[in-house]
Amino acid sequence: MKLLVKGKIYTNKGLLDGSILVQDGRIIRVAKNIREPVDKLLDYSGGRRIVLPGLIDLHVHMRDFELSYKEDFFTGTGAAAMGGFTVVADMPNTRPRVNRPDVLKKREKVAKEKALVDYAFYYGVPDREADLVGGIEDLAMGFKIFMQHEFYTDKRRLTEKVLEFASKREMLVVVHAENPKFFVETEMGLSGLPQAEASAIKDIAKLALSYGFPLHVTHISSAAGMRELLRWRGRVGITVDTCPYYLLLNAKEALTKGAVAKVYPSIKSSKDAEILLRRLKEGKIDAIVSDHAPHPPEEKSDPRSASAGFPGLETTLTLLLTLVNNGVLELRDVVRICATNPAKILKLNEIGSIDKGKIGNFTVVDLHRRATINPKAFVSRGKCSPFEGKKVEGMPVATIVRGEPVMLDGELVATAGWGKNVKTYR
Ligand code: NCD
Ligand code: ZN
Ligand code: ZN
């Protein structure tokens, strides 16, 4: 199977007016002119479309298993393809949880049958030490630790076992860093103060220093948390991501939007948003994730009791491209935070850039296509967003995974089961 993609190509040396030849899922040539018979041609030359390296989302909840009424691998990876993401990394807070070898295997089976784009797994803190066994690394990229439930509780001992296990194998440890000591009751239910984040980051960074595991702090939401993280960086390797809403919304706006904008960690002040955006531009925040966390409408009505989180796969890239059009970010920032750095964090050398020998994952964007965010039209089962009604400029127009178009012009064109575990890249 040979695919030729023509157009403005985002390479490490800048934009190239040329072509990419993909054979059996791998890039075999990137050049100005490629004349060769192929099975499929995607021609994006002329106009304002740009072929980017396939985007990677390090933090999504595909739900499935017993929570498939919220989302499953088909709708979740469909949402990913619609939003321009070629790889998604799935969190283990499912029902049952992905914290036993047999459940991890079952997860692989379900994903393999339904996924449209490629996927990675994180393993959760197990309930028994016996579930921390060799073989986890054959399917999972790392571990996820939800500190308020698994570190500041009686699960701490098992969590430390995970840290030890991850250190030996140099497996990534992703943390939701909030210390419940700094939780307060609000109109949106229990919510962490900025100190909750700073305190948890300090506690986990100390352990990263003594154990040696690669630490990644996900969805940072506060300037205080970021300050603490930067204090540790240098002494210990830490990477960090945030989500678009921590940059674009503030607590006051979230409160007026109500349950739809309820998310953990909570959305902080406009000052926090401003500082996080500055750190992102400075390159101190490594990645942007969607934290795609769909829930049905009945769980998103009363702010106090609502489930936290909302879908993000179909809004993240378009929001970032809008920031590019507003002069806040540059296109190269978007590639760095959504492709290059996420690939590095996952230690996946096969993706993250358009080069000979890499996997043929691409996200084609139309930098100036305009739209209004409309959650009713999401492919995701979670049909809500705090960005509903927002005018955006810049949209994904094609998502290509291992040389196969998965989304073309807003239509899903691949069949369920095309997606593969990124572990198969090797
Ligand atoms: C996530 C979920 O719904 O699974 N919710 C959220 O508010 N972000 C859990 C999480 O990522 O903390
Ligand atoms: Zn979280
Ligand atoms: Zn999450």
Side-chain angles (χ1 to χ4, degrees):
M1 192 14 222
K2 274 189 184 174
L3 168 77
L4 192 67
V5 185
K6 284 172 87 169
K8 273 195 207 77
I9 299 159
Y10 188 100
T11 73
N12 296 334
K13 293 174 218 106
L15 288 183
L16 168 80
D17 245 312
S19 300
I20 313 166
L21 184 61
V22 183
Q23 183 169 19
D24 300 328
R26 292 241 174 208
I27 300 171
I28 57 170
R29 255 172 88 199
V30 183
K32 202 141 184 55
N33 279 302
I34 300 178
R35 282 192 200 83
E36 193 165 319
V38 291
D39 303 289
K40 201 173 284 174
L41 169 71
L42 292 174
D43 192 352
Y44 295 108
S45 46
R48 56 204 190 183
R49 291 165 300 187
I50 300 177
V51 183
L52 305 178
L55 303 198
I56 303 159
D57 191 338
L58 292 173
H59 184 154
V60 304
H61 300 266
M62 296 284 101
R63 310 293 191 204
D64 220 309
F65 291 157
E66 288 167 38
L67 300 178
S68 60
Y69 66 93
K70 296 186 187 225
E71 194 82 297
D72 70 7
F73 268 97
F74 183 70
T75 54
T77 57
M82 292 299 281
F85 286 89
T86 54
V87 172
V88 291
D90 179 45
M91 288 297 169
N93 63 333
T94 48
R95 198 181 297 155
R97 296 178 60 79
V98 182
N99 66 353
R100 289 195 331 242
D102 61 315
V103 183
L104 179 62
K105 282 192 193 115
K106 216 166 102 190
R107 194 97 188 131
E108 169 65 18
K109 190 168 177 283
V110 171
K112 200 176 169 176
E113 273 166 20
K114 300 190 196 173
L116 288 162
V117 306
D118 289 348
Y119 53 87
F121 297 131
Y122 301 110
Y123 198 76
V125 176
D127 298 316
R128 317 172 308 155
E129 207 185 321
D131 292 330
L132 221 43
V133 287
I136 293 173
E137 65 266 41
D138 296 342
L139 291 175
M141 296 307 288
F143 295 90
K144 167 70 182 299
I145 292 171
F146 203 166
M147 290 179 75
Q148 71 215 51
H149 299 307
E150 295 162 343
F151 186 84
Y152 298 108
T153 61
D154 54 9
K155 287 199 87 180
R156 168 77 179 257
R157 191 191 66 86
L158 281 159
T159 296
E160 293 221 20
K161 292 286 172 202
V162 168
L163 301 180
E164 212 180 294
F165 186 95
S167 301
K168 273 190 204 131
R169 292 163 173 79
E170 285 187 49
M171 284 175 82
L172 184 65
V173 175
V174 179
V175 298
H176 175 136
E178 284 191 293
N179 182 345
K181 195 170 132 194
F182 302 99
F183 281 2
V184 291
E185 194 53 44
T186 70
E187 287 157 80
M188 300 265 251
L190 218 49
S191 163
L193 298 169
Q195 297 100 289
E197 206 159 59
S199 163
I201 288 170
K202 184 174 172 185
D203 288 339
I204 197 74
K206 274 189 212 156
L207 291 185
L209 197 59
S210 58
Y211 282 101
F213 56 87
L215 172 61
H216 180 79
V217 175
T218 191
H219 58 35
I220 202 161
S221 66
S222 68
M226 198 56 211
R227 205 180 313 123
E228 187 63 35
L229 189 139
L230 291 175
R231 272 197 202 115
W232 288 90
R233 200 181 246 181
R235 290 177 64 195
V236 57
I238 314 182
T239 49
V240 58
D241 70 57
T242 188
C243 312
Y245 39 93
Y246 297 124
L247 309 171
L248 297 171
L249 298 175
N250 61 57
K252 271 205 194 101
E253 290 166 325
L255 202 57
T256 57
K257 288 175 194 286
V260 64
K262 180 174 178 176
V263 63
Y264 296 144
S266 61
I267 294 171
K268 307 293 190 298
S269 71
S270 52
K271 189 75 197 162
D272 287 282
E274 191 189 306
I275 289 170
L276 290 176
L277 189 56
R278 202 179 307 152
R279 298 294 170 258
L280 181 73
K281 285 197 276 186
E282 290 166 353
K284 290 178 179 152
I285 293 179
D286 305 280
I288 289 285
V289 300
S290 69
D291 191 3
H292 181 80
H295 301 286
E298 56 279 18
E299 289 181 35
K300 295 297 278 179
S301 55
D302 170 49
R304 253 176 235 280
S305 60
S307 297
F310 42 80
L313 278 166
E314 287 162 275
T315 52
T316 295
L317 174 58
T318 191
L319 289 167
L320 293 176
L321 293 175
T322 305
L323 288 176
V324 172
N325 282 307
N326 294 342
V328 178
L329 292 180
E330 290 182 44
L331 191 60
R332 83 166 82 98
D333 296 319
V334 176
V335 172
R336 174 174 54 86
I337 60 190
C338 292
T340 327
N341 286 346
K344 281 188 191 150
I345 291 166
L346 291 176
K347 295 200 200 89
L348 282 174
N349 189 37
E350 296 84 350
I351 51 174
S353 67
I354 300 179
D355 283 305
K356 186 179 165 182
K358 305 257 169 174
I359 300 275
N361 287 359
F362 313 108
T363 301
V364 186
V365 299
D366 179 334
L367 254 188
H368 298 293
R369 183 178 293 188
R370 288 167 194 269
T372 303
I373 291 179
N374 173 19
K376 307 274 172 314
F378 285 173
V379 165
S380 168
R381 289 208 171 107
K383 310 229 182 270
C384 72
S385 166
F387 295 109
E388 174 163 15
K390 187 177 166 70
K391 296 212 169 8
V392 286
E393 181 180 355
M395 301 271 291
V397 295
T399 305
I400 298 157
V401 176
R402 282 173 286 106
E404 186 73 24
V406 175
M407 183 275 280
L408 289 179
D409 265 323
E411 298 287 329
L412 294 175
V413 293
T415 48
W418 177 250
K420 272 190 185 175
N421 192 320
V422 294
K423 283 278 176 181
T424 61
Y425 287 174
R426 304 251 149 96

